[in-house]
Amino acid sequence: MEPPKSSVHLGPVGVEDSWRPSDLATLPRVGSAHGTAIAQALDEVLSALSEEGDRLITAFELPPEFVEAMRTAGFPVNPLPHPEGVGDVVARTLAQAGVLRPQVAGMTLRPYAARPEYEDLASALDLAYTAPTVECAKRVNSKTWSNDVVLAHGWNGAAWPVTSLAGLERRVAQAGPVVLLKDPYGVSGQGTLAIRSESAYRSVARHLARQVDRGKRLELLVQPLFDKRRDISSHWHIFPDGSVRSAGLLENDVEGFRYRGSSPAAPESFRQEEIEHIDTAGRTLCKELFAAGYFGPVDIDGLVATDGTVVPCLEVNARVSMGTVALALTRHAARVGLHATLEFINTRLDAGVRPFPSFVNRLDDAGLLYRRQRPGVVPIAANTLTRGERGRLVLGVFHPPGDAARVLREAMGIACACGIHPEDQRYSCPARPADDPER
């Protein structure tokens, strides 16, 4: 058997926006330029997937402190020379293919998700690349497609698909006191709205009606809000021959609809029948995905309600996901007898500071920078802290069983001292005296 080829890892992470049909009406969306820039930098989390010999292409140039911290933690990050120029990272890489090709020829392209440009990129760089079609990826990543599978198999948690304003009003009235409106291509909390009052619904309905009047098409899912005991995701890999491998089960930390991280699901936290239902549904979904033409990594989001109801599929992410990254951290930690969690923490940044180098150096000085032989944290993205007055800490936390909170709390104290102020209510920075030179 031939040894596996080294990989070239590439984003962007926010590929779903390119899958969304342009003629669909959109829900009201809250966003900012800071949020967009942070999302662009999230391709750096793919560094946690690096194996020896792999290369990494990112939207922004990686600080040397980041590369060194990741290598010290045991992730052999080896970025390609940063592609300068106009356009997104794929377009810039294509423009510099002649320079980059000798460094990667013969390797395998492993992007975050399917895009039509990747076939041209693989050809230009002389990379191996086998993937489902982009049209297949668009179809199976739609919540409408996964909801059809849920309906066909009679699983808990099915939503009502609606394609008209009249149908929307009828289903919202049926759904109960709190109803979720879901854009079929929404991701990471964007594209899901909780409607808690008649006035809120009327405002959204007017927003949609204006778009329908201009010729936009309505496609939404309407779902009651579950009282959750835990958010979960099961992870799989579908091989080109249709065989399926389970990659693990995660418990996700979700506030509202905002992802805050993942950790391995403890089997003792579930009843046996819950585990069996999640596993059976996951395997069935993988068969449906393969029949639709998809193969590759799969992340199936679900939940367990407080009354014990198992919702095995709220949506399918047929691509690499943050759960893929969390599982890579977990496998890495297990080699040295530790556990790992993935943490996303939104922050405010002090003006005029360079928080990332300072944060890494202070973690190291305090013995909290993960170095494989001791518990600690390692930032798995850097430029999420360099894009403006707001940022996002993305941390791999390596800890003995049950000790994650302590390790993270100590790391957040160091972040505060570096001008990185968490917006998460779980953490707070102590007030500084007015004469503090680092204020």
Side-chain angles (χ1 to χ4, degrees), residues 11-250:
V13 167
V15 70
E16 288 85 353
D17 285 341
S18 70
W19 290 340
R20 195 177 192 283
S22 60
D23 65 341
L24 283 187
T26 60
L27 291 167
R29 186 169 180 173
V30 178
S32 68
H34 297 307
T36 300
I38 291 169
Q40 289 176 329
L42 281 175
D43 60 2
E44 294 167 21
V45 304
L46 301 179
S47 59
L49 306 183
S50 293
E51 301 288 348
E52 199 64 52
D54 289 358
R55 304 302 298 267
L56 179 67
I57 302 173
T58 54
F60 303 111
E61 188 168 7
L62 295 177
E65 296 88 353
F66 172 79
V67 174
E68 179 59 28
M70 288 296 288
R71 288 176 177 170
T72 297
F75 299 93
V77 175
N78 190 7
L80 279 166
H82 187 251
E84 302 292 346
V86 178
D88 74 3
V89 65
V90 179
R92 287 183 279 127
T93 302
L94 268 170
Q96 297 186 32
V99 175
L100 300 176
R101 178 176 178 146
Q103 303 181 55
V104 297
M107 298 171 70
T108 299
L109 179 63
R110 298 195 190 280
Y112 185 80
R115 278 180 57 163
E117 306 96 314
Y118 288 146
E119 289 190 11
D120 290 340
L121 184 65
S123 176
L125 295 178
D126 193 19
L127 300 172
Y129 179 56
T130 304
T133 67
V134 174
E135 287 307 311
C136 170
K138 290 180 181 179
R139 185 169 68 255
V140 300
N141 277 283
S142 163
K143 294 182 183 67
T144 300
W145 183 89
S146 54
N147 190 62
D148 287 345
V149 176
V150 171
L151 286 166
H153 290 279
W155 297 332
N156 295 321
W160 290 300
V162 298
T163 55
S164 70
L165 292 168
L168 177 64
E169 183 152 2
R170 183 172 67 254
R171 291 305 190 188
V172 167
Q174 287 179 263
V178 182
V179 58
L180 303 182
L181 304 185
K182 295 185 173 182
D183 185 306
Y185 295 91
V187 66
S188 299
Q190 295 287 357
T192 298
L193 285 181
I195 303 297
R196 303 178 186 274
S197 68
E198 176 71 14
S199 61
Y201 168 69
R202 292 298 167 197
S203 176
V204 172
R206 288 192 296 271
H207 175 85
L208 294 169
R210 286 192 292 270
Q211 297 174 74
V212 171
D213 288 345
R214 295 196 299 268
K216 291 289 187 178
R217 180 165 57 90
L218 187 66
E219 182 183 339
L220 293 173
L221 297 168
V222 178
Q223 188 174 54
L225 179 68
F226 287 94
D227 186 10
K228 296 182 294 185
R229 189 172 91 222
R230 48 178 48 94
D231 284 283
I232 58 171
S233 57
S234 63
H235 295 263
W236 309 83
H237 192 91
I238 305 172
F239 293 91
D241 65 357
S243 59
V244 173
R245 175 176 58 83
S246 172
L249 181 66
L250 293 174

Side-chain angles (χ1 to χ4, degrees), residues 5 17 28 30 54 65 83 95 105 121 127 132 163 172 222 293 315 319 346 352 359 365 375 385 409 414 439:
K5 295 180 179 179
D17 285 341
V30 178
D54 289 358
E65 296 88 353
L121 184 65
L127 300 172
T163 55
V172 167
V222 178
E315 64 179 83
R319 52 167 172 75
N346 286 343
F359 183 51
D365 290 344
L385 294 175
R409 186 172 57 252
I414 292 172
R439 187 176 175 86

